[in-house]
Amino acid sequence: MAPHWPSILRNLALWVAALLLALGVERALALPEICTQCPGSVQNLSKVALYCKQTSELMLHARCCLNQKGTILGLDLQNCSLKDPGPNFPQAHTAVIIDLQANPLKDDLANTFRGFTQLQTLVLPQDVTCPGGINAWNNITSYIDNQICQGQKNLCSSTGDPEMCPENGSCAPDGPGLLQCVCADGFHGYKCARQGSFSPLMFFGILGSTTLSISVLLWGTQRRKAKTS
Amino acid sequence: MAWPNIFQRGTLLSRFSHHHVVVFLLTFFSYSLLHASRKTFSNVKVSISEQWTPSAFNTSVELPVEIWSSNHLFPSAEEATLFLGTLDTIFLFSYAVGLFISGIIGDRLNLRWVLSFGMCSSALVVFVFGTVTEWLHFYNKWLYCCLWIVNGLLQSTGWPCVVAVMGNWFGKAGRGVVFGLWSACASVGNILGACLASSVLQYGYEYAFLVTASVQFAGGIIIFFGLLVSPEEIGLSGIEAEENLEEDSHRPLINGTENEDDYEPNYSIQEDSTITQVKAISFSQACCLPGVIPYSLAYACLKLVNYSFFFWLPFYLSNNFRWKEAEADKLSIWYDVGGIIGGTLQGFISDILQKRAPVLALSLLLAIGSLIGYSRSPDDKSINALLMTVTGFFIGGPSNMISSAISADLGRQELIQGSSEALATVTGIVDGTGSIGAAVGQYLVSLIQDKLGWMWVFYFFILMTSCTILFISPLIVREILYLVRRRQAHILSE
């Protein structure tokens, strides 16, 4: 019986996938897990709630502030007993404002915020330093029960080292205090080695018509009278 | 001195119809395109090894894996380069083996079909090798090796077929100079390949392969619709018939079996040839034809030297004189230029003499001198380019002559007149032996250079050039004796 298990599992997985897809189609605005992993909703007076109410297009759902496309712009996880932000945290990489105060967080958030390039306001417990350190932020304010990191800095321009990235690469911010090498303008592909795009239509058009005309010309002048052997 | 009829009876050009011109151009460009796709491979080597390896760049900045280091076919660019060198060697060996086979096939099937099939199928293999694998992101060493072996076999259909077609159309009277000009096709192919590759390389190396493969495929189609493999196909008289009418010129330039004392035309052989038996000769028969084995062995040594110059010259220049790679690449074209001029001029002289071996011998003796001169070239680009042209003249020239004009002479000598279907087989044997020499040489040169230094590479070249002279020395002696006798006979008759 054992060899049949994988196929049964695969079938099951397919069913689950189909079910999820159906649900997804039904409710286009399914909330990301990060918004519901902590019970309750955003408190009325929190910074995230204030941010969300500034614009009428934004809506509060559970712990998140979403825009009409369902993108997370704000995330309020205060008082959630988190030791670390958890595996679903990268779902919130589009957030502009995040509140993590009143959590027993370990002080090692350097790589947690990789990819959080939009983040402008981060509220942390008082004993946790801002990710990336003092240089990564415009303004760091400490209060009695929390700490606010404000205004992410772009370190690419400040480092001033043009040789930071391989050929055709260029530096881009990758979250607070983090940098990455992406392809420079106009370059794409593996190792950013490719530039522009080949136009097959033009090439094969010219080649095809040239081949056709030369073939017809040569057949007419050369091979037409040839004996078929 | 007896001048050949070409000079007595009007110019060479007036004897050629538009069919001759088209055949010359079609065969010229079909081989150029085959060579262009080989050149493409050597021009995109840097891009390919970049594609096969992860980035070795050291930085504190994060390098996202999917952009910079998702491919791990080889850990470093050095190992990728080594693998590309292995692919070169594999290609040369399978090309050499293929030459023996496709010569035999070419003589038995229609030359036009074999050439057209070879070009189109090798274009498809190159397309799979360079473009499909990249589009599918499927990188596998064994697949690359297999495809390159198949490509070598398919590419080898080209040379025996084009030489055979040229041999069918151009008689031995003007063969030396026509073939000398015509053998520029390899060099033109190199330049064509370099231009095609560099014009699309920025879009990705796969497009360099796509473009050269497509152009080669198109060439195969044009060959299929436009090439006349011999004058007989459109009811023109074949060149043997023409030449037999012309007094004196039926005498072969390479005469192994003929009795040299007998200066009168040998009518018995001519009468035999009127019975046309179009049956291809066997491989062993072709090997036993007079001159085939000496010239094959000589060509193995000479092609070794010639190809070593092809492959190693840019590297030698950038390594020895510390010149930039692009500049060294450009400078090494002068060797090709010397080879083209040498091949044409020496072919012309051998046409006048009606003997090729003495010209070869003289040129090879001077080649030894030019090799010594070149090995002592000063660090000056114009002097080096001049010496390079001279070396190309004396080494590339004879090499071009053996692989084209002499192969055609050997495959059309009067021993097999009538059964003209030996041309491709003989060309395949000569060029196949030569390619084996070239493949072995590739390895030996890198070994000698690594262990003993560049000076010993030049000594090795000198040794190989001497071996070339040694292998054809029986022919040289016989043909010089013939020339001396002819002169005496001429003087006596006046």
Side-chain angles (χ1 to χ4, degrees), chain B residues 239-319:
Chain B
I239 52 165
E240 283 125 341
E242 252 171 57
E243 279 164 2
N244 287 349
L245 293 175
E246 295 163 5
E247 195 234 340
D248 193 51
S249 77
H250 73 279
R251 297 187 68 85
L253 296 187
I254 289 164
N255 42 359
T257 52
E258 180 200 42
N259 183 2
E260 277 102 13
D261 292 340
D262 182 7
Y263 183 54
E264 290 300 302
N266 192 338
Y267 288 107
S268 64
I269 289 174
Q270 213 177 323
E271 273 157 20
D272 287 345
S273 72
T274 53
I275 311 151
T276 46
Q277 11 140 259
V278 190
K279 192 173 168 290
I281 64 165
S282 74
F283 182 76
S284 53
Q285 273 176 299
C287 282
C288 294
L289 286 173
V292 170
I293 287 179
Y295 272 118
S296 298
L297 292 175
Y299 191 49
C301 298
L302 196 57
K303 195 170 183 176
L304 187 158
V305 180
N306 196 33
Y307 260 58
S308 301
F309 264 97
F310 260 9
F311 283 109
W312 292 94
L313 198 53
F315 182 69
Y316 167 74
L317 292 177
S318 55
N319 187 312

Side-chain angles (χ1 to χ4, degrees), chain A residues 114 163-171 174 179-183 188-199 203-204 207 210-211 214-216 218-219 221-223 225-227 229, chain B residues 18-19 22 26 50-51 53-55 57 59 61-64 66-71 112 134 200 202-207 210-211 214-215 218 221-222 224-228 232-234:
Chain A
R114 185 170 291 287
E163 300 281 298
M164 252 160 38
C165 283
E167 210 184 337
N168 303 337
S170 88
C171 175
D174 192 25
L179 301 174
Q180 65 174 342
C181 288
V182 294
C183 292
H188 60 94
Y190 184 61
K191 289 190 181 173
C192 308
R194 288 162 175 80
Q195 196 182 16
S197 63
F198 183 75
S199 62
F203 172 70
F204 284 110
L207 184 70
T210 315
T211 310
I214 295 179
S215 295
V216 169
L218 287 183
W219 192 82
T221 57
Q222 308 293 315
R223 281 210 66 85
K225 288 167 277 174
K227 288 175 280 180
S229 53
Chain B
H18 68 97
H19 295 300
V22 169
L26 278 180
E50 281 292 316
Q51 188 73 37
T53 51
S55 179
F57 198 78
T59 176
V61 179
E62 164 83 2
L63 297 172
E66 62 271 26
I67 301 178
W68 300 104
S69 49
S70 57
N71 289 349
R112 179 170 60 102
E134 174 55 38
V200 293
Q202 53 164 335
Y203 305 129
Y205 79 92
E206 65 270 29
Y207 291 106
L210 177 78
V211 166
S214 307
V215 174
I221 292 171
I222 291 173
F224 186 81
F225 285 111
L227 185 70
L228 289 165
E232 286 92 342
E233 261 197 318
I234 46 164

Side-chain angles (χ1 to χ4, degrees), chain B residues 27 33 41 43 47 69 72 186 211 219 256 264 289 296 333 383 414:
Chain B
T27 49
L33 292 177
F41 178 65
N43 273 31
S47 304
S69 49
H72 286 272
V211 166
E264 290 300 302
L289 286 173
S296 298
I333 291 174
I383 293 175
E414 63 186 29

Side-chain angles (χ1 to χ4, degrees), chain B residues 61-273:
Chain B
V61 179
E62 164 83 2
L63 297 172
V65 170
E66 62 271 26
I67 301 178
W68 300 104
S69 49
S70 57
N71 289 349
H72 286 272
L73 189 65
F74 295 98
S76 68
E78 285 78 39
E79 276 178 68
T81 311
L82 216 63
F83 177 70
L84 289 169
T86 316
L87 280 183
D88 271 336
T89 316
I90 288 176
F91 177 85
L92 271 178
F93 270 111
S94 87
Y95 184 67
V97 172
L99 278 170
F100 291 114
I101 302 168
S102 49
I104 299 170
I105 295 173
D107 277 339
R108 278 160 181 75
L109 299 175
N110 189 324
L111 287 169
R112 179 170 60 102
W113 292 357
V114 176
L115 180 58
S116 176
F117 167 79
M119 287 181 76
C120 291
S121 56
S122 121
L124 284 177
V125 172
V126 170
F127 173 69
V128 172
F129 178 92
T131 313
V132 174
T133 53
E134 174 55 38
W135 281 350
L136 299 178
H137 291 284
F138 182 76
Y139 310 107
N140 183 295
K141 287 177 212 175
W142 299 111
L143 179 74
Y144 283 126
C145 288
C146 291
L147 285 173
W148 229 220
I149 289 171
V150 175
N151 187 32
L153 293 174
L154 292 173
Q155 279 239 341
S156 69
T157 54
W159 186 252
C161 290
V162 290
V163 172
V165 171
M166 282 293 288
N168 284 341
W169 278 92
F170 293 90
K172 57 181 162 284
R175 193 175 274 160
V177 64
V178 170
F179 273 66
L181 263 180
W182 181 81
S183 49
C185 58
S187 310
V188 170
N190 287 341
I191 296 166
L192 201 69
C195 289
L196 284 177
S198 61
S199 64
V200 293
L201 197 56
Q202 53 164 335
Y203 305 129
Y205 79 92
E206 65 270 29
Y207 291 106
F209 282 111
L210 177 78
V211 166
T212 37
S214 307
V215 174
Q216 190 183 317
F217 194 89
I221 292 171
I222 291 173
I223 289 290
F224 186 81
F225 285 111
L227 185 70
L228 289 165
V229 293
S230 72
E232 286 92 342
E233 261 197 318
I234 46 164
L236 293 176
S237 54
I239 52 165
E240 283 125 341
E242 252 171 57
E243 279 164 2
N244 287 349
L245 293 175
E246 295 163 5
E247 195 234 340
D248 193 51
S249 77
H250 73 279
R251 297 187 68 85
L253 296 187
I254 289 164
N255 42 359
T257 52
E258 180 200 42
N259 183 2
E260 277 102 13
D261 292 340
D262 182 7
Y263 183 54
E264 290 300 302
N266 192 338
Y267 288 107
S268 64
I269 289 174
Q270 213 177 323
E271 273 157 20
D272 287 345
S273 72

